[in-house]
Amino acid sequence: MSTGHAPTGDGARPQRPEPRPEATAPPRADSEWNYRVRHETPTQRLDRNWSHILQELRVVQTGMQILTGFLLTLPFQQRFSDLQAFEKDLYLITLAMSTAATIVLVSPVAMHRLLFRRHALPVLVEQGQRFAVTGLLLLGGALTGVLTPTFDVVVNKTTGLIAGGCAVLLAITLWCCYPLLFAHQLHLGRPEKQPDEPQHPRNHH
């Protein structure tokens, strides 16, 4: 007499859910890739994206705050009054861009505090991305503005303008063109919009 247990239910053992077939997902869909490779829910994905944004902003904020603090001290230096009108105008523009960059880069943190426990993480991730890109643009302008008058005072105005132009070209190349070139070569496509609602995987029979 057999002592084995008879199968229950449909007569099959419980099995782990099989990975989602490739054919059921749109090609190169980021959410589908996260599900297949990371086994990550949309909420977990938002948490990870938000954590990455905060880490990146933390790196940029430190240098931006130091630069802004340095610029704020320049008018109180003895030789500041010796600057020409062009140099003073460029200084004010640089200070404005540096201050704006600092405010923009801190904005995601302020949004997070005001929207805390309101289930607004999709909005925070989307707006945090925009603030980060805007802050980097302002940072590039501020760095250019610092470099131009420095070369102007040390060498001459022409050299200062050339140095500023080189800084702009380098920032555009490394911050914009280089990543976009990789995206084009790897056929990465455009970033996928964050889901507003948590989505559950569909069952396939």
Side-chain angles (χ1 to χ4, degrees):
M1 180 175 181
S2 175
T3 57
H5 297 284
T8 58
D10 295 335
R13 293 182 181 180
Q15 298 180 354
R16 296 180 181 179
E18 297 181 357
R20 201 168 183 176
E22 294 282 345
T24 62
R28 300 190 182 277
D30 187 44
S31 59
E32 299 292 343
W33 184 89
N34 276 289
Y35 175 75
R36 290 193 304 269
V37 177
R38 288 195 172 106
H39 304 288
E40 190 177 53
T41 66
T43 301
Q44 291 172 334
R45 175 191 176 194
L46 288 171
D47 289 336
R48 177 176 55 81
N49 291 162
W50 179 243
S51 177
H52 287 176
I53 290 175
L54 291 181
Q55 292 176 12
E56 295 167 2
L57 291 178
R58 191 177 297 115
V59 173
V60 181
Q61 285 170 355
T62 302
M64 198 70 257
Q65 291 168 356
I66 294 175
L67 176 61
T68 303
F70 168 74
L71 291 173
L72 290 173
T73 63
L74 290 183
F76 303 100
Q77 305 300 319
Q78 293 181 353
R79 295 190 58 186
F80 184 82
S81 57
D82 298 335
L83 296 179
Q84 300 177 1
F86 166 76
E87 296 167 342
K88 290 183 178 179
D89 292 342
L90 188 57
Y91 162 78
L92 292 176
I93 294 174
T94 302
L95 179 61
M97 296 186 71
S98 179
T99 304
T102 303
I103 294 174
V104 169
L105 292 173
V106 176
S107 295
V109 179
M111 285 187 61
H112 183 257
R113 285 297 91 200
L114 293 177
L115 299 178
F116 186 59
R117 292 184 177 178
R118 298 190 182 185
H119 308 286
L121 193 55
V123 177
L124 290 173
V125 171
E126 183 176 356
Q127 297 303 318
Q129 160 72 8
R130 295 177 180 176
F131 281 129
V133 173
T134 304
L136 286 175
L137 293 176
L138 292 171
L139 172 60
L143 292 175
T144 302
V146 170
L147 193 63
T148 301
T150 301
F151 275 80
D152 183 12
V153 171
V154 175
V155 186
N156 53 50
K157 182 177 180 179
T158 302
T159 306
L161 293 176
I162 294 175
C166 291
V168 171
L169 182 61
L170 184 63
I172 293 176
T173 301
L174 295 181
W175 294 358
C176 297
C177 298
Y178 204 49
L180 292 178
L181 177 62
F182 271 108
H184 176 72
Q185 291 178 344
L186 299 177
H187 306 285
L188 298 181
R190 297 178 60 86
E192 185 178 343
K193 185 178 179 182
Q194 297 290 344
D196 295 330
E197 296 284 345
Q199 299 175 356
H200 302 284
R202 297 184 299 271
N203 293 325
H204 295 274
H205 301 283

